[in-house]
Amino acid sequence: MKKLLYGLAGLVLLILLAAIVLTQWVDTDRVKRLLVEQTKEKTGRTLVINGDLSWRFFPSIGFTVTDAALLNPPQFEGGNTLAVGELSLDVALQPLFNQRLEIGEAVLKNARLHLITRADGTTNIDDLRELAQHKEAAAQQIETSDKTLSLPQENNAPNAQKKSLDVTLAGVQVQDGEVVMQNQGTGKLTRLTKVNVKLDEFAPDNVVPLNLSANLFSDDIQAYITLDGKFWLAPELNRFSINDLVLETSATGRAIPGNKQLKLQGQLSYDIEQKLAEFSELNLAVGELNVSGELALRQQSVPELSFNLHTPSLNLDALQKEWQTGTPGVSKKSASKANRQSSASNSKQKATPITPTSVPATLSSSTPTSEASKTWLHTLDLEGDLAADTLIIQGVELEQLAVHIKSKQGKLELNPIQAQLYEGHTKGQATLNFSEQPTTFRLQQQLSQVNAKALLSATTDIDYLEGLTDISLIATGEGFSDTQLQKNLNASAELKMRDGALEGVNVTELIQRAHAKVKGLPVPVATAAQKTDFSELAADFALNKGVVSTDNLHLVSPLLRIDGQGQTKLADESMDILLNTAVVGSIKDQEGEEIDELKNIILPIRISGTYKEPQYRLDLQQVFDIYLGDKTDKEMDRLKRKLDGKLGDKLEKKLGDKLPGLLDKLGL
């Protein structure tokens, strides 16, 4: 036992002596120069170490380096790709004797990563990715060559044993880091500050837990982000994925009024070479909005977004109200100045100061919704499908919505748009051109077998016209504000209805009451059912400067034929419509006698008032004129017949007495 204790004591003493000797004899400046030279040789990059390099020897070998930076490649402007305030790393001693390299947790403090994307899509880390790919390709080539050699297994065994070094990394931890993403093509600058990352047991081709938190700053958004998931990095270092991702964000800014809570879940993969992010099994929750599906984003000069999304409920009215108020912030001029200062401080070739300093976050001033839409649609091309179980827009509720969306260079196309609408269905397309000033749009829609009462109630507060309707609509316009729409919206529509009714008025009864007043008869009491049934209603409508007009309204019923014309103003919902009504069936008065004098006579009925309180009036003077005219005509016919009868008898008698003598005188 004593020998064992003496042996352990000797081993400890030997390790201590070795540590003392190494700390005294190892030239840290030479080690730093060696690191700089090797970095230059292997990557072509310049590594600058301004801080100290310190060693640790117990209980593991380790080192700490401070104030180090990896400069940008020569083809990019001067500055740092990566700056590290402090990096510490250690390696366990005992596993080395068993062909295992066990690296402890790598800790990076105050690290700053500056990613630059040029207008042509190249980045300042492309050379590092290509280097990793070349190494992987070379390793694969060596492995393939070894397999093709027909050497005995026992001869290959020693070589295999020499190569079999297991490498593990206990984890990676980033404390108070910063990531700057600069797109020179679009002029956008996005920053992540207070970045804290923890990866446990990190190694390429291994799935490891990931935890991340950061503050996000851009021209449009400020946000606090937390992320959890399972991280995987490809051995080639060109792809990574985050499975079971849970991203939670509290955001505000010009594009996000107020403070919005966002939760995103799903499976994320990213191809660094293709600059392609793919999100599957996506579930997004923002307030009352819940969206599921999949999407992909390809990063380039103009990013491309593709998607296939579904939501159980999409209430655009509520969303517009929720998102229409902008949050005031610092002006664009101040934001641009801050960003220029950030770029200038980072453009110096000299690596000092290496410890990163955060640029103050700024928010651009608020702009109208249409202008904000114009901005982001110009910086993004998108195409995909959106489905919604229910959609509410301008008070109209659609079901089973399916729309294909495409946007390129500021031109947004929705084609086709299909949905179920109030017992019927609708199909059409829409185009919005945000590249023009002001924004122009065109809508073409076909409605079939739609419940007219439900549709009109939702859009115009008219709840007294019922029936199944077909509508063909074409609308064009400029701008989105009420003033612009009232001035620039133009539309034409064709309407056809079958087996419907106009509630609130009984035209037949209106004629009966007017006829009774003219004749001085007792006026019939109004019935409870104030409704005019019709078998067909057709009309063409035109909308111009807020006025809807028609000149060819036709209504057919068993008793009536109506031709109408008139207009209504959308601003005050006033109506001025004239219905020229002809009685073609049998209408009886209160005594049950048919009103023959009104048959096939045009009777004018005028509709005035508003949508909510329409007023119907039959022109009594014209009815009176018709009645008097008819009565006069009948009296004239009676007098004529009577006069003709009396004059005829007297003339015949006189002619009978005088005619024979007259003929004798004439010699006839």
Side-chain angles (χ1 to χ4, degrees):
M1 178 62 71
K2 289 183 179 180
K3 291 182 179 180
L4 179 59
L5 293 175
Y6 288 148
L8 291 174
L11 179 60
V12 171
L13 181 61
L14 181 62
I15 292 174
L16 291 174
L17 289 174
I20 293 172
V21 171
L22 285 174
T23 54
Q24 294 296 322
W25 288 1
V26 173
D27 186 353
T28 56
D29 290 335
R30 178 177 175 81
V31 173
K32 289 195 292 184
R33 288 195 301 270
L34 181 62
L35 290 174
V36 171
E37 293 171 359
Q38 289 295 312
T39 301
K40 188 71 173 180
E41 179 182 348
K42 300 297 184 182
T43 67
R45 296 285 195 99
T46 299
L47 175 66
V48 178
I49 304 177
N50 289 338
D52 296 328
L53 179 65
S54 57
W55 295 88
R56 298 188 306 276
F57 296 96
F58 190 81
S60 59
I61 299 175
F63 69 91
T64 299
V65 61
T66 58
D67 286 354
L70 182 66
L71 304 187
N72 281 328
Q75 62 269 30
F76 282 79
E77 61 185 12
N80 305 326
T81 299
L82 176 64
V84 179
E86 178 180 307
L87 169 64
S88 60
L89 192 70
D90 57 71
V91 178
L93 289 173
Q94 184 177 355
L96 291 174
F97 298 101
N98 298 320
Q99 296 295 310
R100 296 200 316 273
L101 177 60
E102 294 184 0
I103 304 174
E105 187 175 56
V107 180
L108 286 81
K109 297 181 179 179
N110 299 319
R112 185 177 192 268
L113 177 63
H114 187 182
L115 301 175
I116 302 174
T117 302
R118 286 178 157 177
D120 60 3
T122 58
T123 72
N124 61 339
I125 60 172
D126 286 344
D127 58 328
L128 300 178
R129 290 202 301 263
E130 292 173 1
L131 180 64
Q133 293 168 9
H134 291 330
K135 288 184 176 180
E136 180 63 24
Q140 291 179 355
Q141 185 176 2
I142 293 174
E143 183 179 354
T144 303
S145 300
D146 290 342
K147 289 181 179 180
T148 57
L149 293 176
S150 56
L151 296 176
Q153 183 67 28
E154 57 271 14
N155 292 338
N156 284 336
N159 294 331
Q161 186 176 2
K162 291 178 182 179
K163 294 179 182 178
S164 60
L165 180 64
D166 295 332
V167 181
T168 61
L169 178 62
V172 176
Q173 188 174 166
V174 178
Q175 299 177 358
D176 293 332
E178 182 177 11
V179 179
V180 178
M181 293 169 282
Q182 181 181 359
N183 191 319
Q184 296 178 341
T186 61
K188 294 289 185 180
L189 187 67
T190 303
R191 280 186 300 280
L192 292 170
T193 64
K194 298 294 182 181
V195 178
N196 291 280
V197 181
K198 184 173 178 59
L199 274 172
D200 295 333
E201 300 179 359
F202 172 71
D205 206 26
N206 284 348
V207 178
V208 296
L210 167 66
N211 306 100
L212 180 147
S213 64
N215 293 321
L216 170 67
F217 298 92
S218 71
D219 289 340
D220 299 324
I221 297 174
Q222 283 183 333
Y224 174 69
I225 301 172
T226 62
L227 184 149
D228 295 290
K230 298 176 181 178
F231 183 80
W232 173 85
L233 178 65
E236 303 83 3
L237 306 182
N238 61 351
R239 292 172 292 121
F240 70 83
S241 66
I242 304 177
N243 294 329
D244 300 334
L245 179 146
V246 178
L247 173 67
E248 294 184 285
T249 300
S250 177
T252 187
R254 183 183 69 168
I256 305 177
N259 191 293
K260 306 301 180 188
Q261 307 298 318
L262 177 147
K263 186 173 183 179
L264 180 66
Q265 297 175 288
Q267 317 297 326
L268 172 66
S269 63
Y270 187 77
D271 190 313
I272 300 176
E273 295 177 0
Q274 301 294 327
K275 300 177 182 178
L276 176 64
E278 295 179 300
F279 216 125
S280 61
E281 301 179 27
L282 177 146
N283 283 283
L284 171 66
V286 183
E288 298 298 323
L289 178 64
N290 290 277
V291 179
S292 61
E294 56 188 22
L295 59 82
L297 176 64
R298 186 182 299 277
Q299 292 179 309
Q300 49 190 20
S301 57
V302 178
E304 292 182 352
L305 175 67
S306 60
F307 57 89
N308 186 359
L309 301 175
H310 169 266
T311 177
S313 177
L314 182 59
N315 190 333
L316 293 182
D317 293 347
L319 289 175
Q320 183 180 15
K321 184 178 180 181
E322 180 182 359
W323 290 76
Q324 67 184 356
T325 305
T327 301
V330 181
S331 65
K332 289 184 178 180
K333 183 176 180 181
S334 300
S336 299
K337 181 178 179 182
N339 291 342
R340 286 196 302 269
Q341 290 175 348
S342 173
S343 299
S345 65
N346 202 37
S347 62
K348 299 178 181 180
Q349 185 70 22
K350 189 176 179 180
T352 57
I354 296 174
T355 303
T357 57
S358 299
V359 180
T362 59
L363 290 177
S364 302
S365 58
S366 61
T367 58
T369 303
S370 60
E371 297 298 324
S373 301
K374 185 184 303 181
T375 300
W376 71 263
L377 282 174
H378 270 93
T379 58
L380 178 68
D381 290 342
L382 61 89
E383 183 171 6
D385 296 296
L386 174 64
D389 295 341
T390 60
L391 168 68
I392 299 177
I393 177 171
Q394 297 295 311
V396 179
E397 184 173 344
L398 298 93
E399 297 178 336
Q400 303 305 315
L401 170 73
V403 55
H404 183 77
I405 304 172
K406 183 178 181 180
S407 176
K408 192 174 183 65
Q409 297 178 348
K411 186 176 181 181
L412 179 64
E413 296 180 2
L414 311 177
N415 185 21
I417 306 171
Q418 301 182 81
Q420 296 178 7
L421 177 64
Y422 299 122
E423 303 177 23
H425 61 275
T426 178
K427 183 177 181 180
Q429 60 187 39
T431 302
L432 296 89
N433 194 340
F434 291 94
S435 62
E436 297 181 352
Q437 298 281 347
T439 299
T440 61
F441 62 87
R442 186 178 190 275
L443 171 67
Q444 183 174 347
Q445 206 72 18
Q446 179 69 48
L447 286 66
S448 302
Q449 298 293 299
V450 175
N451 186 317
K453 184 174 183 179
L455 177 62
L456 291 173
S457 297
T459 56
T460 62
D461 291 329
I462 295 177
D463 59 356
Y464 40 83
L465 184 62
E466 63 179 35
L468 297 178
T469 182
D470 296 338
I471 301 177
S472 296
L473 172 68
I474 298 177
T476 60
E478 297 178 352
F480 291 102
S481 67
D482 293 340
T483 303
Q484 289 175 318
L485 287 175
Q486 184 173 352
K487 180 180 178 181
N488 302 318
L489 178 61
N490 297 287
S492 61
E494 297 180 5
L495 178 145
K496 292 182 179 180
M497 295 181 63
R498 292 166 300 281
D499 302 328
L502 178 62
E503 298 179 349
V505 61
N506 188 326
V507 174
T508 302
E509 189 175 282
L510 189 67
I511 295 173
Q512 291 172 332
R513 291 168 62 85
H515 181 263
K517 288 180 181 180
V518 170
K519 294 189 68 174
L521 299 174
V523 178
V525 178
T527 60
Q530 290 295 300
K531 183 168 68 171
T532 300
D533 296 322
F534 58 82
S535 57
E536 182 180 339
L537 171 63
D540 294 335
F541 293 96
L543 170 62
N544 184 29
K545 295 183 179 180
V547 177
V548 180
S549 60
T550 180
D551 58 4
N552 65 344
L553 185 148
H554 303 288
L555 184 148
V556 177
S557 78
L559 299 178
L560 307 171
R561 296 291 186 272
I562 298 177
D563 293 325
Q565 60 185 21
Q567 66 180 28
T568 174
K569 296 180 180 179
L570 298 179
D572 58 8
E573 299 185 349
S574 61
M575 296 187 294
D576 183 12
I577 302 171
L578 178 62
L579 302 179
N580 294 313
T581 306
V583 179
V584 296
S586 176
I587 297 181
K588 297 181 180 180
D589 59 18
Q590 192 173 11
E591 297 176 355
E593 296 182 1
E594 292 189 4
I595 309 176
D596 295 331
E597 60 264 33
L598 297 181
K599 186 171 292 186
N600 295 319
I601 301 298
I602 302 300
L603 302 175
I605 299 176
R606 187 166 295 278
I607 304 177
S608 58
T610 63
Y611 298 161
K612 292 184 178 180
E613 297 181 354
Q615 299 175 5
Y616 304 91
R617 182 175 60 86
L618 179 60
D619 193 337
L620 290 177
Q621 182 61 48
Q622 184 163 343
V623 175
F624 185 71
D625 292 343
I626 293 172
Y627 173 72
L628 287 182
D630 181 70
K631 193 173 185 64
T632 301
D633 290 341
K634 289 182 178 180
E635 187 64 24
M636 289 292 293
D637 289 340
R638 187 183 67 81
L639 291 175
K640 184 178 180 181
R641 287 194 301 270
K642 185 176 181 181
L643 182 61
D644 288 345
K646 291 182 177 181
L647 290 176
D649 293 341
K650 291 182 179 180
L651 182 61
E652 182 179 358
K653 183 177 181 181
K654 288 183 177 182
L655 287 177
D657 294 340
K658 301 292 184 179
L659 186 59
L662 180 61
L663 293 176
D664 291 339
K665 290 180 178 181
L666 293 175
L668 300 174

